[in-house]
């Protein structure tokens, strides 16, 4: 991790999700979430990322993980942190967030 990277932090739901997921899912999710540390914003480097059209105080983003799951996250630029709020099956995320 370079000094330009962001710290990727997991909320309770993503930690719980990864603790019960099978080994392959856990490995793939951790690899893809690691891309957020390099660059959490859409259009930058690796990962299928997009800003979500959600009203609120902080911008929310999503990243697809292997066309199976979607990670919902926010970026705290002042702290150089990416906070992963949820990991959902991709269809559930589409229903909930309308994208």
């Amino acid at each position: 991790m370079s000094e330009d990277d962001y710290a990727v932090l997991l909320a309770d739901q993503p930690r719980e999700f990864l603790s019960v997921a099978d080994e392959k899912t856990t490995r793939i999710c951790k690899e893809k979430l690691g891309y957020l540390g390099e660059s959490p914003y859409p259009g930058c480097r690796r990962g299928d990322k997009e800003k979500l059209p959600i009203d609120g105080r902080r911008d929310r983003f999503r990243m697809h993980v292997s066309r199976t799951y979607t990670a919902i996250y926010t970026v705290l630029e002042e702290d150089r942190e990416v906070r992963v709020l949820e990991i959902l099956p991709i269809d559930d995320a589409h229903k909930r967030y309308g994208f």
Side-chain angles (χ1 to χ4, degrees), residues 74-94:
T74 189
V75 180
L76 281 71
E77 191 63 44
E78 61 278 3
D79 298 323
R80 301 291 290 177
E81 291 179 353
V82 174
R83 294 187 179 174
V84 180
L85 307 171
E86 294 180 276
I87 300 174
L88 305 166
I90 199 166
D91 289 338
D92 292 350
H94 286 177

Side-chain angles (χ1 to χ4, degrees), residues 10-19 33 84-87:
L10 304 179
D12 291 341
Q13 188 277 344
R15 275 187 275 145
E16 185 176 323
F17 171 85
L18 292 174
S19 74
L33 293 174
V84 180
L85 307 171
E86 294 180 276
I87 300 174

Side-chain angles (χ1 to χ4, degrees), residues 4 8 20 34 82:
D4 292 333
V8 178
V20 298
V82 174

Side-chain angles (χ1 to χ4, degrees), residues 29-46:
C29 285
K30 285 183 176 183
E31 176 187 342
K32 301 295 183 182
L33 293 174
Y35 297 164
L36 296 176
E38 297 171 11
S39 178
Y41 296 105
C44 298
R45 299 192 184 176
R46 299 185 284 184

